[in-house]
Each structure stands twice: as C-alpha cells, then as structure tokens.
Amino acid sequence: MVLSRGARWVAGAMTAVCLVLLLGPGAPSRGVPHAGSLPSGAAPEAVPDRVATWNICNPCGGSGRNAGRATEIATYAPQIIGLQEACVRDVEQIRGYLEQVHGLVYRVAYGTVQRNWKRCGGMPWRPGGFGQAILSAAPMTDRVSAEYPDGGSEDRGYLAVTTLVGGLPVRVFNTHLAERRQEEVRAGQVGVLAAEVARHDRAIVLGDFNAVPHAPELGPMWALARDTDPGCRPSTAGTGACATTTDWNSKFDYVFLRGLTPLTHRVHPSPHSDHHVVHADLDPGRLPTR
C-alpha cells in the first residue's frame, strides 16, 4: 500500500519519537543554553591536582539533571573526579555538556558492574552500563575494573587507573561499597580494595563507602591512608569533626590519600543528588604526615 506524503511524514515522526524514548537524548549541541551558568570565581579550566568524588544518585529524576551535574563539576573543575551510581549514557551526556558548554575536556574510564535497563535505559535486550566512572583532564592508563566477590544486595566493584598528579604517576581508585546494614559484606570488599591500594606508594582512593568513619570495616583503609578532611579520623567521628557528605547527615564519601598530602578539603551539597560533591586540592610535592 502506497502512503501519501502526509502519512509518510507522520510515520517518520512517530519512528523518531520511539527511537528517542528507547535510546534517550544524545549529547548536547554546542551552545546549549539550559546547561546552567557558572558562578563567579569558577575555575576557567581544570584545576591541577584537584580531586573529587561524587555519588551522582541513580535513580534520581528531574529534567536536565545531567546538564546540572555538568555545571556542578565545571564549577569546581577538578583534574580528577570519581563518579558512583553512574550510567554510561549519563556520563556521556555530562562529558558533552562539560566540553561543549563549559569548555572542559575530560577523558573517561568506566567501571561497569552491571547492565540495567531500569536504571540506565537502552533497549531491553541491550541495557545500559551501570557502576563507576573516572573523569580525568590528564591521560589515564592501566585501567582495571573489578567486581567484588560479594556485592551484597547489588553488584559492586572498583575502578582503578594511573594518571599524573604533580607530574608523577599516581594510582587512582574509585569504588562504591555495599549498602547500609551490610557491614560484613563491606568488610570483605574493603579487604579486597585495601590489598590493591597497598601495592602502590602513591594512591588516591575515591568513593562512596556507605560507612561512617568509625565503622570497623573501614579499619584497613585507615591503616593505609588518610582522608582529606583534616579533623576527621575514626577517633573523632563522634565529635562533629567530620563534615557530613549526605542529605541524611552522615559521612559516607571519602578522598583517601596514600603518599600524598592535602592542602584543602571542601564539601558542597547538591540539588542533583542525595550525596554532596567532595573535593580536595593536593600538594604532591610534600610527604604525608602520620
């Protein structure tokens, strides 16, 4: 049956709508106005030796969420940022906004631990990847993505890359540990992660550990590294010395350093996630104090 020109146009439009619903929107076009303007004083380019961690929250709805996330990242412009609960599709869009709207070019490494259509979209027979991601303004090498032997109620893992901080190679880890009330599972995960971190004299460990600083399962990490929050240690966790990093007033998000020294530590609540953006400026030329 031959369709009229109008019928063909309608059929084509309906096909395009169906594809958008299945695949989701693509990367933004250059000059997209709704990505959000940066506040005064925002860095014009990625800040050397600044590292950050952010659980970007999935599922967290709301239109323009990736544009807003990109604006937040661009506001602080870290050299390296570890993202948790990250869909590949979302990270692609965030990178698009960062480059095309804010002029920040980031390389990406993915640490996918599962394929999930409900979380990440895509076609039912080809769901999107979900897990960790690292954005870096400097090149990354030696990527390793590993799942923990026991993820708890959901698959969990870590992502590791090597990049330059202060002109020297540093191993960067990004992880998301098992959910709350799964202490024994997290203890096993920390054991796996700590064994890898211990192999490196200079390491940055970013992530959502789903545990407060004095939680026993974090002991192996504290034995290897220090968080960039200057007053936050297991012994001070109950005194209010630790800046909270979640909407429920707990510290779950960490920037652990091994062989590196922090200069600053900042925590920024976000309207785009139930976790705050945590970032620190490092002094890679100074040896850490114990």
Side-chain angles (χ1 to χ4, degrees):
M1 181 175 64
V2 178
L3 297 176
S4 66
R5 179 181 300 175
R8 289 196 302 270
W9 184 92
V10 171
M14 290 300 295
T15 300
V17 169
C18 290
L19 286 173
V20 169
L21 291 175
L22 280 171
L23 300 176
S29 60
R30 188 172 299 277
V32 172
H34 64 275
S37 59
L38 300 180
S40 60
E45 57 187 19
V47 179
D49 309 330
R50 175 172 291 176
V51 298
T53 185
W54 191 17
N55 182 323
I56 59 177
C57 185
N58 183 296
C60 279
S63 60
R65 63 179 183 267
N66 288 332
R69 290 165 174 166
T71 298
E72 290 215 41
I73 293 171
T75 297
Y76 313 115
Q79 176 188 330
I80 303 162
I81 182 168
L83 303 176
Q84 302 90 43
E85 296 194 17
C87 292
V88 171
R89 184 184 308 271
D90 287 334
V91 175
E92 288 175 347
Q93 291 182 353
I94 290 168
R95 288 182 68 214
Y97 283 114
L98 284 167
E99 180 174 0
Q100 298 177 20
V101 178
H102 302 299
L104 296 173
V105 178
Y106 283 97
R107 299 158 176 86
V108 64
Y110 291 106
T112 296
V113 293
Q114 60 176 294
R115 300 283 173 179
N116 194 307
W117 181 76
K118 289 185 178 179
R119 281 186 181 270
C120 297
M123 300 178 185
W125 56 92
R126 192 179 179 185
F130 177 78
Q132 288 72 243
I134 295 175
L135 301 183
S136 174
M140 295 178 283
T141 60
D142 303 321
R143 170 189 166 274
V144 171
S145 178
E147 290 188 36
Y148 293 121
D150 184 358
S153 56
E154 180 179 78
D155 293 341
R156 295 291 164 94
Y158 71 84
L159 169 67
V161 299
T162 297
T163 188
L164 296 180
V165 176
L168 296 174
V170 176
R171 194 65 170 165
V172 179
F173 295 83
N174 181 24
T175 192
H176 188 192
L177 299 190
E179 295 176 349
R180 286 177 284 178
R181 296 181 294 278
Q182 298 182 48
E183 293 85 355
E184 292 184 3
V185 175
R186 287 197 299 275
Q189 295 170 348
V190 171
V192 172
L193 179 63
E196 291 300 315
V197 174
R199 298 174 56 234
H200 303 276
D201 293 331
R202 294 162 57 87
I204 300 168
V205 187
L206 310 168
D208 174 4
F209 284 72
N210 269 319
V212 294
H214 60 277
E217 63 266 30
L218 294 191
M221 281 305 308
W222 287 111
L224 290 171
R226 294 292 182 94
D227 183 56
T228 56
D229 191 340
C232 186
R233 301 293 180 263
S235 60
T236 65
T239 67
C242 300
T244 60
T245 66
T246 65
D247 287 353
W248 53 92
N249 297 320
S250 293
K251 177 178 172 63
F252 278 6
D253 305 272
Y254 297 82
V255 179
F256 281 114
L257 302 180
R258 176 175 170 84
L260 296 160
T261 300
L263 293 173
T264 64
H265 176 87
R266 299 286 185 269
V267 179
H268 306 278
S270 168
H272 305 292
S273 175
D274 53 358
H275 287 252
H276 307 340
V277 181
V278 180
H279 75 76
D281 292 332
L282 310 184
D283 184 354
R286 290 174 55 198
L287 293 176
T289 57
R290 287 280 183 172

